mmCIF file of all heavy atoms in Angstrom:
data_model
loop_
_atom_site.group_PDB
_atom_site.id
_atom_site.type_symbol
_atom_site.label_atom_id
_atom_site.label_comp_id
_atom_site.label_asym_id
_atom_site.label_seq_id
_atom_site.Cartn_x
_atom_site.Cartn_y
_atom_site.Cartn_z
ATOM 1 N N GLU A 30 70.174 119.720 142.124
ATOM 2 C CA GLU A 30 71.339 120.455 141.632
ATOM 3 C C GLU A 30 72.509 119.506 141.392
ATOM 4 O O GLU A 30 73.223 119.643 140.392
ATOM 5 C CB GLU A 30 71.728 121.537 142.668
ATOM 6 C CG GLU A 30 72.953 122.374 142.305
ATOM 7 C CD GLU A 30 72.719 123.240 141.070
ATOM 8 O OE1 GLU A 30 71.585 123.628 140.795
ATOM 9 O OE2 GLU A 30 73.699 123.528 140.378
ATOM 10 N N LYS A 31 72.724 118.565 142.241
ATOM 11 C CA LYS A 31 73.783 117.595 142.083
ATOM 12 C C LYS A 31 73.544 116.746 140.818
ATOM 13 O O LYS A 31 74.463 116.497 140.020
ATOM 14 C CB LYS A 31 73.829 116.671 143.320
ATOM 15 C CG LYS A 31 74.985 115.749 143.348
ATOM 16 C CD LYS A 31 75.016 114.994 144.682
ATOM 17 C CE LYS A 31 76.190 114.093 144.780
ATOM 18 N NZ LYS A 31 76.237 113.336 146.039
ATOM 19 N N TYR A 32 72.296 116.332 140.603
ATOM 20 C CA TYR A 32 71.933 115.574 139.424
ATOM 21 C C TYR A 32 72.211 116.402 138.169
ATOM 22 O O TYR A 32 72.778 115.946 137.196
ATOM 23 C CB TYR A 32 70.463 115.149 139.508
ATOM 24 C CG TYR A 32 70.061 114.181 138.428
ATOM 25 C CD1 TYR A 32 70.036 112.832 138.674
ATOM 26 C CD2 TYR A 32 69.696 114.620 137.147
ATOM 27 C CE1 TYR A 32 69.666 111.925 137.683
ATOM 28 C CE2 TYR A 32 69.323 113.736 136.162
ATOM 29 C CZ TYR A 32 69.306 112.393 136.426
ATOM 30 O OH TYR A 32 68.969 111.502 135.443
ATOM 31 N N TRP A 33 71.740 117.666 138.189
ATOM 32 C CA TRP A 33 71.926 118.569 137.059
ATOM 33 C C TRP A 33 73.395 118.724 136.734
ATOM 34 O O TRP A 33 73.788 118.637 135.563
ATOM 35 C CB TRP A 33 71.297 119.931 137.370
ATOM 36 C CG TRP A 33 71.538 120.952 136.318
ATOM 37 C CD1 TRP A 33 72.489 121.943 136.327
ATOM 38 C CD2 TRP A 33 70.858 121.084 135.057
ATOM 39 N NE1 TRP A 33 72.434 122.678 135.189
ATOM 40 C CE2 TRP A 33 71.452 122.165 134.366
ATOM 41 C CE3 TRP A 33 69.821 120.394 134.453
ATOM 42 C CZ2 TRP A 33 71.046 122.582 133.118
ATOM 43 C CZ3 TRP A 33 69.421 120.793 133.186
ATOM 44 C CH2 TRP A 33 70.033 121.895 132.542
ATOM 45 N N ARG A 34 74.223 118.981 137.716
ATOM 46 C CA ARG A 34 75.670 119.164 137.492
ATOM 47 C C ARG A 34 76.297 117.927 136.869
ATOM 48 O O ARG A 34 77.153 117.996 135.994
ATOM 49 C CB ARG A 34 76.360 119.551 138.776
ATOM 50 C CG ARG A 34 76.180 121.005 139.189
ATOM 51 C CD ARG A 34 77.138 121.463 140.272
ATOM 52 N NE ARG A 34 77.259 120.539 141.395
ATOM 53 C CZ ARG A 34 76.530 120.629 142.512
ATOM 54 N NH1 ARG A 34 75.694 121.612 142.676
ATOM 55 N NH2 ARG A 34 76.719 119.762 143.480
ATOM 56 N N TYR A 35 75.831 116.732 137.300
ATOM 57 C CA TYR A 35 76.382 115.521 136.769
ATOM 58 C C TYR A 35 75.965 115.347 135.302
ATOM 59 O O TYR A 35 76.749 114.974 134.450
ATOM 60 C CB TYR A 35 75.928 114.309 137.591
ATOM 61 C CG TYR A 35 76.614 113.032 137.186
ATOM 62 C CD1 TYR A 35 77.978 112.837 137.459
ATOM 63 C CD2 TYR A 35 75.954 112.029 136.460
ATOM 64 C CE1 TYR A 35 78.621 111.690 137.067
ATOM 65 C CE2 TYR A 35 76.592 110.899 136.055
ATOM 66 C CZ TYR A 35 77.949 110.715 136.375
ATOM 67 O OH TYR A 35 78.605 109.573 135.983
ATOM 68 N N MET A 36 74.732 115.681 135.011
ATOM 69 C CA MET A 36 74.218 115.612 133.645
ATOM 70 C C MET A 36 75.039 116.534 132.745
ATOM 71 O O MET A 36 75.447 116.151 131.627
ATOM 72 C CB MET A 36 72.733 115.955 133.592
ATOM 73 C CG MET A 36 72.104 115.793 132.224
ATOM 74 S SD MET A 36 70.301 115.948 132.236
ATOM 75 C CE MET A 36 70.109 117.714 132.461
ATOM 76 N N VAL A 37 75.305 117.757 133.182
ATOM 77 C CA VAL A 37 76.076 118.733 132.412
ATOM 78 C C VAL A 37 77.500 118.204 132.239
ATOM 79 O O VAL A 37 78.067 118.312 131.143
ATOM 80 C CB VAL A 37 76.068 120.098 133.096
ATOM 81 C CG1 VAL A 37 77.052 121.039 132.464
ATOM 82 C CG2 VAL A 37 74.653 120.699 133.091
ATOM 83 N N GLN A 38 78.056 117.626 133.280
ATOM 84 C CA GLN A 38 79.420 117.119 133.208
ATOM 85 C C GLN A 38 79.558 116.006 132.161
ATOM 86 O O GLN A 38 80.509 115.976 131.395
ATOM 87 C CB GLN A 38 79.831 116.586 134.584
ATOM 88 C CG GLN A 38 81.218 115.994 134.633
ATOM 89 C CD GLN A 38 81.522 115.389 136.009
ATOM 90 O OE1 GLN A 38 80.710 115.460 136.943
ATOM 91 N NE2 GLN A 38 82.676 114.833 136.136
ATOM 92 N N ILE A 39 78.601 115.110 132.119
ATOM 93 C CA ILE A 39 78.645 114.019 131.134
ATOM 94 C C ILE A 39 78.507 114.572 129.723
ATOM 95 O O ILE A 39 79.241 114.158 128.791
ATOM 96 C CB ILE A 39 77.537 112.960 131.417
ATOM 97 C CG1 ILE A 39 77.803 112.245 132.758
ATOM 98 C CG2 ILE A 39 77.470 111.946 130.271
ATOM 99 C CD1 ILE A 39 79.068 111.431 132.821
ATOM 100 N N LYS A 40 77.632 115.522 129.493
ATOM 101 C CA LYS A 40 77.481 116.126 128.169
ATOM 102 C C LYS A 40 78.764 116.865 127.777
ATOM 103 O O LYS A 40 79.201 116.747 126.637
ATOM 104 C CB LYS A 40 76.270 117.069 128.137
ATOM 105 C CG LYS A 40 75.899 117.526 126.769
ATOM 106 C CD LYS A 40 75.450 116.336 125.904
ATOM 107 C CE LYS A 40 74.890 116.761 124.582
ATOM 108 N NZ LYS A 40 74.488 115.605 123.783
ATOM 109 N N ALA A 41 79.374 117.572 128.680
ATOM 110 C CA ALA A 41 80.614 118.275 128.406
ATOM 111 C C ALA A 41 81.711 117.264 128.024
ATOM 112 O O ALA A 41 82.524 117.501 127.105
ATOM 113 C CB ALA A 41 81.055 119.089 129.591
ATOM 114 N N TRP A 42 81.761 116.159 128.708
ATOM 115 C CA TRP A 42 82.753 115.099 128.424
ATOM 116 C C TRP A 42 82.536 114.533 127.015
ATOM 117 O O TRP A 42 83.482 114.268 126.303
ATOM 118 C CB TRP A 42 82.646 114.028 129.486
ATOM 119 C CG TRP A 42 83.662 112.950 129.544
ATOM 120 C CD1 TRP A 42 83.378 111.635 129.800
ATOM 121 C CD2 TRP A 42 85.056 112.985 129.394
ATOM 122 N NE1 TRP A 42 84.526 110.891 129.790
ATOM 123 C CE2 TRP A 42 85.578 111.723 129.549
ATOM 124 C CE3 TRP A 42 85.943 114.034 129.117
ATOM 125 C CZ2 TRP A 42 86.964 111.410 129.431
ATOM 126 C CZ3 TRP A 42 87.331 113.733 129.017
ATOM 127 C CH2 TRP A 42 87.794 112.443 129.177
ATOM 128 N N ILE A 43 81.278 114.370 126.610
ATOM 129 C CA ILE A 43 80.972 113.901 125.263
ATOM 130 C C ILE A 43 81.500 114.885 124.234
ATOM 131 O O ILE A 43 82.137 114.497 123.234
ATOM 132 C CB ILE A 43 79.480 113.625 125.086
ATOM 133 C CG1 ILE A 43 79.045 112.405 125.903
ATOM 134 C CG2 ILE A 43 79.126 113.431 123.617
ATOM 135 C CD1 ILE A 43 77.554 112.200 126.045
ATOM 136 N N PHE A 44 81.243 116.163 124.436
ATOM 137 C CA PHE A 44 81.744 117.218 123.499
ATOM 138 C C PHE A 44 83.274 117.216 123.484
ATOM 139 O O PHE A 44 83.891 117.341 122.419
ATOM 140 C CB PHE A 44 81.228 118.584 123.881
ATOM 141 C CG PHE A 44 79.783 118.829 123.501
ATOM 142 C CD1 PHE A 44 78.894 119.365 124.441
ATOM 143 C CD2 PHE A 44 79.293 118.532 122.251
ATOM 144 C CE1 PHE A 44 77.574 119.607 124.100
ATOM 145 C CE2 PHE A 44 77.972 118.772 121.905
ATOM 146 C CZ PHE A 44 77.115 119.308 122.851
ATOM 147 N N TYR A 45 83.890 117.061 124.659
ATOM 148 C CA TYR A 45 85.361 117.055 124.769
ATOM 149 C C TYR A 45 85.895 115.868 123.979
ATOM 150 O O TYR A 45 86.863 116.011 123.216
ATOM 151 C CB TYR A 45 85.738 117.001 126.238
ATOM 152 C CG TYR A 45 87.209 116.974 126.525
ATOM 153 C CD1 TYR A 45 87.945 118.144 126.542
ATOM 154 C CD2 TYR A 45 87.887 115.801 126.795
ATOM 155 C CE1 TYR A 45 89.291 118.156 126.823
ATOM 156 C CE2 TYR A 45 89.247 115.788 127.058
ATOM 157 C CZ TYR A 45 89.941 116.976 127.089
ATOM 158 O OH TYR A 45 91.290 116.961 127.365
ATOM 159 N N LEU A 46 85.339 114.707 124.151
ATOM 160 C CA LEU A 46 85.796 113.500 123.450
ATOM 161 C C LEU A 46 85.607 113.657 121.946
ATOM 162 O O LEU A 46 86.426 113.164 121.163
ATOM 163 C CB LEU A 46 85.082 112.264 123.964
ATOM 164 C CG LEU A 46 85.458 111.794 125.343
ATOM 165 C CD1 LEU A 46 84.530 110.675 125.800
ATOM 166 C CD2 LEU A 46 86.895 111.350 125.409
ATOM 167 N N ASP A 47 84.528 114.311 121.552
ATOM 168 C CA ASP A 47 84.294 114.515 120.127
ATOM 169 C C ASP A 47 85.399 115.377 119.515
ATOM 170 O O ASP A 47 85.846 115.138 118.397
ATOM 171 C CB ASP A 47 82.911 115.118 119.901
ATOM 172 C CG ASP A 47 82.527 115.086 118.448
ATOM 173 O OD1 ASP A 47 82.683 114.030 117.794
ATOM 174 O OD2 ASP A 47 82.034 116.103 117.949
ATOM 175 N N LEU A 48 85.809 116.400 120.251
ATOM 176 C CA LEU A 48 86.911 117.255 119.780
ATOM 177 C C LEU A 48 88.223 116.468 119.708
ATOM 178 O O LEU A 48 89.004 116.600 118.774
ATOM 179 C CB LEU A 48 87.080 118.460 120.673
ATOM 180 C CG LEU A 48 85.934 119.484 120.614
ATOM 181 C CD1 LEU A 48 85.996 120.453 121.783
ATOM 182 C CD2 LEU A 48 85.964 120.209 119.279
ATOM 183 N N TYR A 49 88.454 115.619 120.711
ATOM 184 C CA TYR A 49 89.624 114.735 120.690
ATOM 185 C C TYR A 49 89.584 113.799 119.493
ATOM 186 O O TYR A 49 90.610 113.582 118.777
ATOM 187 C CB TYR A 49 89.665 113.889 121.967
ATOM 188 C CG TYR A 49 90.949 114.037 122.759
ATOM 189 C CD1 TYR A 49 90.944 114.559 124.058
ATOM 190 C CD2 TYR A 49 92.144 113.596 122.236
ATOM 191 C CE1 TYR A 49 92.099 114.651 124.774
ATOM 192 C CE2 TYR A 49 93.337 113.710 122.980
ATOM 193 C CZ TYR A 49 93.310 114.242 124.223
ATOM 194 O OH TYR A 49 94.467 114.354 124.955
ATOM 195 N N ARG A 50 88.419 113.228 119.234
ATOM 196 C CA ARG A 50 88.244 112.316 118.102
ATOM 197 C C ARG A 50 88.502 113.021 116.796
ATOM 198 O O ARG A 50 89.232 112.528 115.933
ATOM 199 C CB ARG A 50 86.800 111.743 118.084
ATOM 200 C CG ARG A 50 86.531 110.780 116.951
ATOM 201 C CD ARG A 50 85.070 110.654 116.623
ATOM 202 N NE ARG A 50 84.370 111.911 116.444
ATOM 203 C CZ ARG A 50 84.396 112.651 115.337
ATOM 204 N NH1 ARG A 50 85.108 112.253 114.283
ATOM 205 N NH2 ARG A 50 83.730 113.798 115.259
ATOM 206 N N GLU A 51 87.949 114.211 116.672
ATOM 207 C CA GLU A 51 88.127 114.974 115.427
ATOM 208 C C GLU A 51 89.574 115.320 115.205
ATOM 209 O O GLU A 51 90.081 115.201 114.090
ATOM 210 C CB GLU A 51 87.293 116.268 115.560
ATOM 211 C CG GLU A 51 87.211 117.088 114.303
ATOM 212 C CD GLU A 51 86.319 118.294 114.503
ATOM 213 O OE1 GLU A 51 85.109 118.124 114.734
ATOM 214 O OE2 GLU A 51 86.834 119.411 114.453
ATOM 215 N N ASP A 52 90.279 115.749 116.239
ATOM 216 C CA ASP A 52 91.703 116.082 116.132
ATOM 217 C C ASP A 52 92.527 114.858 115.771
ATOM 218 O O ASP A 52 93.417 114.930 114.919
ATOM 219 C CB ASP A 52 92.172 116.693 117.452
ATOM 220 C CG ASP A 52 93.616 117.163 117.353
ATOM 221 O OD1 ASP A 52 93.875 118.160 116.626
ATOM 222 O OD2 ASP A 52 94.499 116.550 118.000
ATOM 223 N N SER A 53 92.244 113.723 116.414
ATOM 224 C CA SER A 53 92.990 112.485 116.124
ATOM 225 C C SER A 53 92.745 112.055 114.697
ATOM 226 O O SER A 53 93.666 111.627 114.000
ATOM 227 C CB SER A 53 92.553 111.391 117.080
ATOM 228 O OG SER A 53 92.901 111.734 118.394
ATOM 229 N N TYR A 54 91.505 112.185 114.240
ATOM 230 C CA TYR A 54 91.177 111.841 112.844
ATOM 231 C C TYR A 54 91.954 112.692 111.871
ATOM 232 O O TYR A 54 92.501 112.206 110.857
ATOM 233 C CB TYR A 54 89.666 111.947 112.610
ATOM 234 C CG TYR A 54 89.271 111.664 111.188
ATOM 235 C CD1 TYR A 54 89.223 110.360 110.703
ATOM 236 C CD2 TYR A 54 88.973 112.708 110.329
ATOM 237 C CE1 TYR A 54 88.889 110.105 109.394
ATOM 238 C CE2 TYR A 54 88.619 112.452 108.999
ATOM 239 C CZ TYR A 54 88.598 111.142 108.528
ATOM 240 O OH TYR A 54 88.256 110.910 107.245
ATOM 241 N N LYS A 55 92.030 114.014 112.141
ATOM 242 C CA LYS A 55 92.756 114.918 111.260
ATOM 243 C C LYS A 55 94.220 114.538 111.154
ATOM 244 O O LYS A 55 94.804 114.525 110.090
ATOM 245 C CB LYS A 55 92.628 116.363 111.725
ATOM 246 C CG LYS A 55 91.275 116.971 111.455
ATOM 247 C CD LYS A 55 91.209 118.382 111.997
ATOM 248 C CE LYS A 55 89.847 119.012 111.840
ATOM 249 N NZ LYS A 55 89.753 120.313 112.483
ATOM 250 N N TRP A 56 94.843 114.232 112.317
ATOM 251 C CA TRP A 56 96.265 113.853 112.314
ATOM 252 C C TRP A 56 96.457 112.522 111.603
ATOM 253 O O TRP A 56 97.400 112.372 110.853
ATOM 254 C CB TRP A 56 96.815 113.812 113.739
ATOM 255 C CG TRP A 56 97.233 115.172 114.185
ATOM 256 C CD1 TRP A 56 96.553 115.997 115.070
ATOM 257 C CD2 TRP A 56 98.353 115.917 113.738
ATOM 258 N NE1 TRP A 56 97.235 117.188 115.189
ATOM 259 C CE2 TRP A 56 98.353 117.163 114.391
ATOM 260 C CE3 TRP A 56 99.399 115.628 112.863
ATOM 261 C CZ2 TRP A 56 99.320 118.123 114.191
ATOM 262 C CZ3 TRP A 56 100.382 116.590 112.671
ATOM 263 C CH2 TRP A 56 100.326 117.822 113.305
ATOM 264 N N GLU A 57 95.582 111.592 111.837
ATOM 265 C CA GLU A 57 95.641 110.290 111.169
ATOM 266 C C GLU A 57 95.560 110.487 109.663
ATOM 267 O O GLU A 57 96.355 109.890 108.905
ATOM 268 C CB GLU A 57 94.504 109.413 111.680
ATOM 269 C CG GLU A 57 94.419 108.048 111.025
ATOM 270 C CD GLU A 57 95.382 107.047 111.588
ATOM 271 O OE1 GLU A 57 96.116 107.350 112.564
ATOM 272 O OE2 GLU A 57 95.435 105.929 111.074
ATOM 273 N N LYS A 58 94.649 111.314 109.226
ATOM 274 C CA LYS A 58 94.478 111.575 107.802
ATOM 275 C C LYS A 58 95.682 112.273 107.215
ATOM 276 O O LYS A 58 96.131 111.950 106.115
ATOM 277 C CB LYS A 58 93.192 112.399 107.570
ATOM 278 C CG LYS A 58 92.770 112.491 106.155
ATOM 279 C CD LYS A 58 91.412 113.141 106.032
ATOM 280 C CE LYS A 58 90.970 113.172 104.611
ATOM 281 N NZ LYS A 58 89.625 113.716 104.444
ATOM 282 N N ARG A 59 96.228 113.249 107.917
ATOM 283 C CA ARG A 59 97.420 113.980 107.442
ATOM 284 C C ARG A 59 98.574 113.011 107.200
ATOM 285 O O ARG A 59 99.304 113.106 106.214
ATOM 286 C CB ARG A 59 97.816 115.056 108.436
ATOM 287 C CG ARG A 59 96.912 116.233 108.447
ATOM 288 C CD ARG A 59 97.310 117.199 109.560
ATOM 289 N NE ARG A 59 96.290 118.230 109.725
ATOM 290 C CZ ARG A 59 95.970 118.796 110.853
ATOM 291 N NH1 ARG A 59 96.558 118.431 111.968
ATOM 292 N NH2 ARG A 59 95.042 119.713 110.904
ATOM 293 N N ILE A 60 98.791 112.147 108.182
ATOM 294 C CA ILE A 60 99.890 111.184 108.090
ATOM 295 C C ILE A 60 99.675 110.240 106.900
ATOM 296 O O ILE A 60 100.594 109.994 106.120
ATOM 297 C CB ILE A 60 100.036 110.393 109.418
ATOM 298 C CG1 ILE A 60 100.556 111.345 110.511
ATOM 299 C CG2 ILE A 60 100.979 109.207 109.235
ATOM 300 C CD1 ILE A 60 100.492 110.766 111.905
ATOM 301 N N ASN A 61 98.439 109.773 106.732
ATOM 302 C CA ASN A 61 98.129 108.882 105.622
ATOM 303 C C ASN A 61 98.311 109.553 104.293
ATOM 304 O O ASN A 61 98.877 108.990 103.344
ATOM 305 C CB ASN A 61 96.725 108.320 105.731
ATOM 306 C CG ASN A 61 96.581 107.328 106.861
ATOM 307 O OD1 ASN A 61 97.560 106.751 107.330
ATOM 308 N ND2 ASN A 61 95.360 107.096 107.312
ATOM 309 N N VAL A 62 97.849 110.803 104.163
ATOM 310 C CA VAL A 62 97.940 111.522 102.915
ATOM 311 C C VAL A 62 99.401 111.823 102.597
ATOM 312 O O VAL A 62 99.853 111.631 101.452
ATOM 313 C CB VAL A 62 97.115 112.835 102.937
ATOM 314 C CG1 VAL A 62 97.446 113.762 101.799
ATOM 315 C CG2 VAL A 62 95.604 112.519 102.948
ATOM 316 N N PHE A 63 100.160 112.242 103.596
ATOM 317 C CA PHE A 63 101.611 112.533 103.366
ATOM 318 C C PHE A 63 102.313 111.270 102.910
ATOM 319 O O PHE A 63 103.079 111.291 101.941
ATOM 320 C CB PHE A 63 102.250 113.050 104.642
ATOM 321 C CG PHE A 63 103.749 113.250 104.519
ATOM 322 C CD1 PHE A 63 104.253 114.342 103.854
ATOM 323 C CD2 PHE A 63 104.629 112.288 105.004
ATOM 324 C CE1 PHE A 63 105.614 114.506 103.717
ATOM 325 C CE2 PHE A 63 105.981 112.443 104.873
ATOM 326 C CZ PHE A 63 106.504 113.559 104.233
ATOM 327 N N SER A 64 102.040 110.132 103.564
ATOM 328 C CA SER A 64 102.720 108.886 103.196
ATOM 329 C C SER A 64 102.318 108.462 101.774
ATOM 330 O O SER A 64 103.170 108.011 101.012
ATOM 331 C CB SER A 64 102.322 107.762 104.175
ATOM 332 O OG SER A 64 102.805 108.062 105.461
ATOM 333 N N ALA A 65 101.069 108.605 101.442
ATOM 334 C CA ALA A 65 100.598 108.209 100.103
ATOM 335 C C ALA A 65 101.245 109.094 99.014
ATOM 336 O O ALA A 65 101.724 108.586 97.999
ATOM 337 C CB ALA A 65 99.082 108.286 100.018
ATOM 338 N N ILE A 66 101.246 110.403 99.265
ATOM 339 C CA ILE A 66 101.828 111.309 98.272
ATOM 340 C C ILE A 66 103.327 111.062 98.161
ATOM 341 O O ILE A 66 103.874 111.012 97.060
ATOM 342 C CB ILE A 66 101.521 112.788 98.635
ATOM 343 C CG1 ILE A 66 100.041 113.070 98.406
ATOM 344 C CG2 ILE A 66 102.357 113.733 97.822
ATOM 345 C CD1 ILE A 66 99.578 114.418 98.956
ATOM 346 N N ALA A 67 103.981 110.956 99.294
ATOM 347 C CA ALA A 67 105.446 110.741 99.278
ATOM 348 C C ALA A 67 105.814 109.467 98.562
ATOM 349 O O ALA A 67 106.746 109.460 97.765
ATOM 350 C CB ALA A 67 105.977 110.737 100.699
ATOM 351 N N SER A 68 105.102 108.392 98.831
ATOM 352 C CA SER A 68 105.481 107.116 98.219
ATOM 353 C C SER A 68 105.111 107.083 96.721
ATOM 354 O O SER A 68 105.833 106.487 95.929
ATOM 355 C CB SER A 68 104.863 105.958 98.945
ATOM 356 O OG SER A 68 103.452 106.018 98.848
ATOM 357 N N SER A 69 104.024 107.737 96.332
ATOM 358 C CA SER A 69 103.630 107.641 94.918
ATOM 359 C C SER A 69 104.305 108.668 94.017
ATOM 360 O O SER A 69 104.451 108.450 92.838
ATOM 361 C CB SER A 69 102.112 107.783 94.798
ATOM 362 O OG SER A 69 101.714 109.043 95.218
ATOM 363 N N THR A 70 104.746 109.789 94.570
ATOM 364 C CA THR A 70 105.365 110.838 93.718
ATOM 365 C C THR A 70 106.862 110.905 93.837
ATOM 366 O O THR A 70 107.510 111.501 92.997
ATOM 367 C CB THR A 70 104.765 112.205 94.075
ATOM 368 O OG1 THR A 70 105.077 112.531 95.425
ATOM 369 C CG2 THR A 70 103.303 112.280 93.789
#
């Protein structure tokens, strides 16, 4: 049971980090797009 809980915890952490990565990527992209549009137009 202890092993199982640890395995689940690690998988949950991977999913959590993936959501963090996705959110950070979206914000990074928004900032880049805004800067590009603002400077070129």
Side-chain angles (χ1 to χ4, degrees):
E30 180 66 27
K31 188 175 182 180
Y32 189 96
W33 174 261
R34 283 194 312 266
Y35 188 72
M36 185 171 74
V37 170
Q38 179 184 358
I39 295 296
K40 191 63 173 179
W42 187 220
I43 290 168
F44 284 132
Y45 181 83
L46 289 172
D47 191 46
L48 291 166
Y49 235 117
R50 180 202 51 80
E51 189 177 295
D52 184 69
S53 296
Y54 177 76
K55 285 178 185 175
W56 277 105
E57 177 81 3
K58 191 172 183 175
R59 287 174 189 146
I60 291 168
N61 289 339
V62 167
F63 175 79
S64 296
I66 290 171
S68 64
S69 64
T70 62

